[in-house]
């Protein structure tokens, strides 16, 4: 059975969600609770930032850390750390065993794929992060992440954020229009 009534958010959030469900061609429509106040508006500092990809999650976490906010990534920074470690091997021309990058032998091949092949667009944020900050700095930043309970900002992929709730949520810009 589809659950269409939510007690976690109000009618304004439901209306926004229904716009997206309509775009997706879904039959389901949500109803928010009249007893929960909510609004949809631009938000700079949110309790949570939802991203589509792990690389965008790291980009958001870096921005939050650089702003001096205690930051956590749902599930920890292990996935992004593994990508940065793979980049070190690729930059050295050794290839890597990372499931998203094992087909490449060098970092230049990853860069070319990310920016020259439409299929590589999901890697663009990761490549920009590595090129801008360096894999060693990305690894160091994953070490600066805190536990969610101490975080001022929690960063998550939408997938990992399912079933969770925060008072204020900002949607990152890596979702396709």
């Amino acid at each position: 059975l589809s659950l269409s009534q939510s007690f976690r958010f109000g009618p304004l959030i439901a209306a926004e969600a229904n716009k997206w469900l309509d775009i997706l061609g879904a039959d389901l429509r949500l109803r928010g609770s009249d007893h929960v106040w909510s609004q949809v508006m631009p938000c700079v500092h949110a309790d949570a930032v939802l991203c589509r990809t792990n690389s965008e999650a790291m980009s958001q976490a870096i921005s939050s850390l650089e702003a001096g906010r205690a930051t956590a990534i749902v599930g920890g920074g292990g996935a992004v750390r593994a990508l940065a470690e793979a980049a070190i091997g690729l930059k050295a021309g050794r290839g890597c065993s990372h499931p998203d990058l094992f087909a490449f032998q060098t970092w230049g091949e990853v860069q070319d794929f990310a920016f020259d092949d439409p299929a590589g667009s999901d890697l663009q944020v990761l490549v920009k992060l590595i090129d801008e900050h360096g894999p060693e700095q990305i690894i160091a930043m994953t070490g600066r992440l805190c536990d969610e309970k101490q975080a001022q900002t929690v960063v998550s992929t939408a997938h990992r954020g399912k079933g969770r709730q925060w008072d204020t949520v900002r949607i990152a810009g890596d979702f396709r229009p």
Side-chain angles (χ1 to χ4, degrees):
L1 296 174
S2 294
L3 299 176
S4 59
Q5 173 69 52
S6 176
F7 298 99
R8 293 183 176 196
F9 51 78
L12 292 175
I13 301 291
E16 184 67 19
N18 286 330
K19 290 177 191 175
W20 292 94
L21 290 168
D22 189 48
I23 289 169
L24 294 172
D27 293 329
L28 175 67
R29 291 297 173 266
L30 298 175
R31 290 186 326 254
S33 171
D34 291 329
H35 302 290
V36 177
W37 180 85
S38 60
Q39 64 182 359
V40 177
M41 59 183 262
C43 179
V44 176
H45 294 295
D47 296 325
V49 179
L50 293 180
C51 308
R52 188 176 66 82
T53 63
N54 285 323
S55 56
E56 180 65 19
M58 190 60 197
S59 178
Q60 294 292 326
I62 288 170
S63 295
S64 181
L65 287 167
E66 287 176 345
R69 296 178 62 80
T71 305
I73 293 179
V74 172
V80 175
R81 181 184 180 97
L83 287 166
E85 289 170 345
I88 291 172
L90 290 164
K91 283 178 170 260
R94 295 190 308 263
C96 69
S97 61
H98 190 282
D100 294 338
L101 302 175
F102 74 92
F104 305 101
Q105 291 303 308
T106 68
W107 186 247
E109 289 177 4
V110 175
Q111 291 168 316
D112 290 343
F113 178 69
F115 293 103
D116 297 337
D117 189 321
S121 64
D122 283 355
L123 290 176
Q124 286 180 3
V125 173
L126 167 70
V127 170
K128 286 179 186 176
L129 276 173
I130 297 293
D131 289 345
E132 181 177 333
H133 298 282
E136 294 82 4
Q137 186 177 357
I138 300 295
I139 291 167
M141 287 187 181
T142 62
R144 291 177 45 207
L145 296 170
C146 67
D147 184 80
E148 287 182 54
K149 292 176 183 158
Q150 286 78 43
Q152 293 171 293
T153 302
V154 176
V155 181
S156 178
T157 60
H159 177 74
R160 287 186 179 254
K162 289 179 185 173
R164 293 169 174 258
Q165 65 184 49
W166 297 275
D167 289 338
T168 56
V169 178
R170 183 168 53 82
I171 306 299
D174 67 330
F175 288 91
R176 293 187 177 119

